[in-house]
Amino acid sequence: MSANSRLTIAAHALAWIGLYQRQGHEVATSEQIATSANTNPVVIRRLLGELRRAGLVESRRGAGAGWSLARELESMTLLDVYEAVEPGPLFAMHRTTPDQGCVVGHGIQPAMQNIYEGIEETLRHELARVTLETVLRDVLAAPR
Amino acid sequence: MSANSRLTIAAHALAWIGLYQRQGHEVATSEQIATSANTNPVVIRRLLGELRRAGLVESRRGAGAGWSLARELESMTLLDVYEAVEPGPLFAMHRTTPDQGCVVGHGIQPAMQNIYEGIEETLRHELARVTLETVLRDVLAAPR
DNA sequence: ATGGTCGCAACCTTTTCTGTTACGACTACA
DNA sequence: TGTAGTCGTAACAGAAAAGGTTGCGACCAT
């Protein structure tokens, strides 16, 4: 599916910030999170920027700057994160308009659009069932 | 999500073949289907080749060659098509292994893997509810 | 024998995602 | 007031995937 890792990395970042704050720290830096996720700080800042626009995190600038949660992990779901970092639909239509003179070419897009909408609704429902608190709990439950 | 159009095009092709056969024709050519989908015949042959490996269609070579359904549209679901044409998982993990020395970096992949598996199972369930017969019916029901 | 079609490999272009560098903006603190 | 540390963002490079295109051998009904 040519899947991307945005949802995974965003969840990683949120879990990291959440745990760090529970350990008494005020803010986490993109540098620290990037080290944990084994990627570049700019990648983290970009993703967290989208999460900030969605109201999930806040950032502070200047010296001693960094990122903090805007809400409890308990109140965030994977759906919130998904909608913040994934722009498009799950399934794409034809890249070029099908032949409108053909019965199938004419009816296929509305038909698939309808079907896909129902499926994406179910997907969103599933994503909404998983809170970031659950994610962190599962992360900490991993055998070492 | 960087979605691709394979599922859409494959469903288009199957609906086209199915309708064409109901009109009394034995086989459909990749050329005809490509015209309806407004793409290249090789693209169609590639996709139908995968559907053939999955036992959904058959092809005949030589003169008067082409494609036909291997089963009734009624007995094919979008899940059959999806599994035939989509190789990978819906969501990707980190591109590089996260820091195993970090609690989050260590536990994040098994945690997300588990969550994703449940979600993909639900997705498959939804796809399995839609038959290609339904798709064709919806296609023909489109207002003109 | 021939013409129409599939099978498949090879290559190109476009798009998307990720990584990287660079640098200005901002602010706590000395 | 200066400075160091961090964010914000633009710009570009590299990798990967999807889709489009061409070419040609294999196949077979006629």
Side-chain angles (χ1 to χ4, degrees):
Chain A
M1 190 69 168
S2 89
N4 63 44
S5 57
R6 294 157 107 78
L7 183 59
T8 302
I9 304 292
H12 186 146
L14 288 170
W16 203 96
I17 300 172
L19 180 59
Y20 197 60
Q21 291 193 314
R22 284 180 198 186
Q23 292 169 347
H25 304 276
E26 289 233 334
V27 298
T29 70
S30 60
E31 173 79 39
Q32 295 171 311
I33 302 168
T35 298
S36 171
N38 195 10
T39 182
N40 191 292
V42 176
V43 172
I44 299 298
R45 290 207 288 272
R46 277 202 288 243
L47 275 174
L48 288 180
E50 300 180 59
L51 297 185
R52 180 183 49 213
R53 256 169 257 130
L56 302 184
V57 299
E58 291 166 349
S59 66
R60 207 189 283 175
R61 303 179 68 170
W67 302 83
S68 54
L69 299 180
R71 320 202 300 242
E72 293 298 315
L73 287 184
E74 187 70 60
S75 78
M76 291 180 204
T77 71
L78 282 185
L79 177 60
D80 297 321
V81 182
Y82 178 81
E83 292 187 330
V85 303
E86 291 291 352
L90 201 51
F91 301 108
M93 284 298 146
H94 310 61
R95 308 179 92 183
T96 58
T97 307
D99 178 6
Q100 297 299 300
C102 164
V103 194
V104 177
H106 177 260
I108 189 75
Q109 292 202 337
M112 296 308 290
Q113 197 68 56
N114 249 329
I115 293 167
Y116 289 159
E117 273 168 21
I119 292 174
E120 292 194 20
E121 188 51 42
T122 303
L123 173 70
R124 279 194 287 275
H125 202 265
E126 282 298 294
L127 288 169
R129 292 181 50 203
V130 184
T131 70
L132 268 292
E133 178 66 34
T134 302
V135 173
L136 179 55
R137 180 171 48 69
D138 290 2
V139 164
L140 298 179
R144 38 189 306 278
Chain B
M1 186 71 173
S2 92
N4 63 44
S5 58
R6 293 158 108 75
L7 183 58
T8 303
I9 305 292
H12 186 146
L14 288 170
W16 203 96
I17 300 173
L19 180 59
Y20 197 58
Q21 290 193 314
R22 285 182 197 185
Q23 292 170 346
H25 303 277
E26 290 233 334
V27 298
T29 69
S30 60
E31 173 79 37
Q32 295 170 313
I33 302 167
T35 298
S36 170
N38 195 8
T39 181
N40 192 292
V42 177
V43 173
I44 299 298
R45 290 209 287 272
R46 277 203 286 245
L47 274 174
L48 288 179
E50 301 181 59
L51 297 185
R52 181 183 47 214
R53 257 169 257 130
L56 302 185
V57 300
E58 290 167 349
S59 66
R60 206 188 285 175
R61 302 179 69 169
W67 303 83
S68 53
L69 299 180
R71 319 202 301 242
E72 293 298 314
L73 286 184
E74 186 71 60
S75 78
M76 292 182 205
T77 70
L78 283 184
L79 177 60
D80 297 321
V81 182
Y82 178 81
E83 293 187 330
V85 304
E86 291 290 352
L90 201 53
F91 301 108
M93 285 295 147
H94 310 62
R95 307 178 92 183
T96 58
T97 307
D99 179 5
Q100 297 300 299
C102 163
V103 194
V104 177
H106 176 261
I108 189 74
Q109 291 201 338
M112 297 307 290
Q113 197 68 57
N114 248 330
I115 292 167
Y116 288 159
E117 273 167 22
I119 292 174
E120 291 194 20
E121 188 50 42
T122 302
L123 174 69
R124 279 194 288 274
H125 202 265
E126 282 297 296
L127 287 169
R129 292 181 51 202
V130 184
T131 71
L132 269 292
E133 178 67 35
T134 302
V135 172
L136 178 55
R137 179 171 49 69
D138 290 2
V139 164
L140 297 179
R144 38 189 305 280

